[in-house]
Amino acid sequence: MRLTTKGRYAVTAMLDLAIHASGKPTVLADIAHRQGISLSYLEQIFAPLRKRALVTSARGPGGGYRLARSPSAIFIGEVIEAVDEQLEATRCGGGRDCQDRGACLTHQLWQDLSDHVRGYLHGVSLSDLVEHQAVRDRVQARSRPVGSGGTRVLPPARPGLMRVAAGA
């Protein structure tokens, strides 16, 4: 099982849409800017999300993307699978033909792991993530203006590290 950048960015972009939902469409350039994701890569990611009816799009001035359903009705497993990520840990992709046209010795172990991961990700909604305190703290820290001696938490330089910038 391998979750690629495509799957991670799809979840991040969908969570960004859920957090910044304001009734009007969100342009991909805004998500790209907020999340540090290439705009062209987001365009590639959003085509299958739209095809799977996870987002809707509006063209023209004031256009962009919206979630197609409530954040509580969109599950992380759906998002990952929409961009063709496989939630499968077996070598054979679940086909039970890993070794000499049959299941290998550890097939059931990896199949059970796949089932647990799939079940977990299909049980976590965008709404669950929006309500997670760490997500709310991160959004609040990124939207806090710098000025008049205040401080703002910046994105970590490395995972697990937090930098603080003094206001001007």
Side-chain angles (χ1 to χ4, degrees):
M1 180 176 315
R2 189 169 157 246
L3 185 59
T4 65
T5 302
K6 189 180 208 179
R8 292 176 192 275
Y9 283 176
V11 171
T12 299
M14 292 291 284
L15 182 56
D16 186 279
L17 271 180
I19 289 168
H20 295 97
S22 63
K24 60 182 182 171
T26 300
V27 294
L28 290 183
D30 290 347
I31 298 171
H33 176 74
R34 284 190 295 260
Q35 302 307 324
I37 303 171
S38 156
L39 178 58
S40 62
Y41 200 45
L42 277 178
E43 289 168 347
Q44 292 174 35
I45 289 170
F46 269 74
L49 293 174
R50 190 169 48 82
K51 187 175 182 178
R52 289 278 192 100
L54 295 173
V55 295
T56 59
S57 63
R59 293 179 174 240
Y65 288 89
R66 289 186 182 107
L67 295 177
R69 304 188 303 255
S70 160
S72 63
I74 298 175
F75 296 90
I76 303 308
E78 288 180 277
V79 174
I80 292 170
E81 290 170 353
V83 294
D84 292 327
E85 292 287 311
Q86 299 301 313
L87 299 173
E88 184 62 51
T90 62
R91 182 171 47 174
C92 63
R96 301 191 71 82
D97 59 352
C98 356
Q99 186 176 18
D100 300 326
R101 294 184 220 154
C104 65
L105 290 175
T106 56
H107 179 87
Q108 196 57 52
L109 170 70
W110 305 126
Q111 186 62 55
D112 290 347
L113 175 63
S114 297
D115 293 344
H116 283 292
V117 170
R118 196 177 299 108
Y120 174 74
L121 293 174
H122 280 277
V124 177
S125 71
L126 288 174
S127 180
D128 294 332
L129 294 179
V130 169
E131 294 303 315
H132 196 278
Q133 187 63 46
V135 171
R136 293 194 333 239
D137 291 347
R138 178 81 174 180
V139 170
Q140 186 178 16
R142 286 183 154 223
S143 62
R144 189 179 317 138
V146 176
S148 65
T151 60
R152 175 175 59 128
V153 177
L154 300 175
R158 291 191 330 238
L161 299 178
M162 192 64 68
R163 301 179 302 160
V164 177

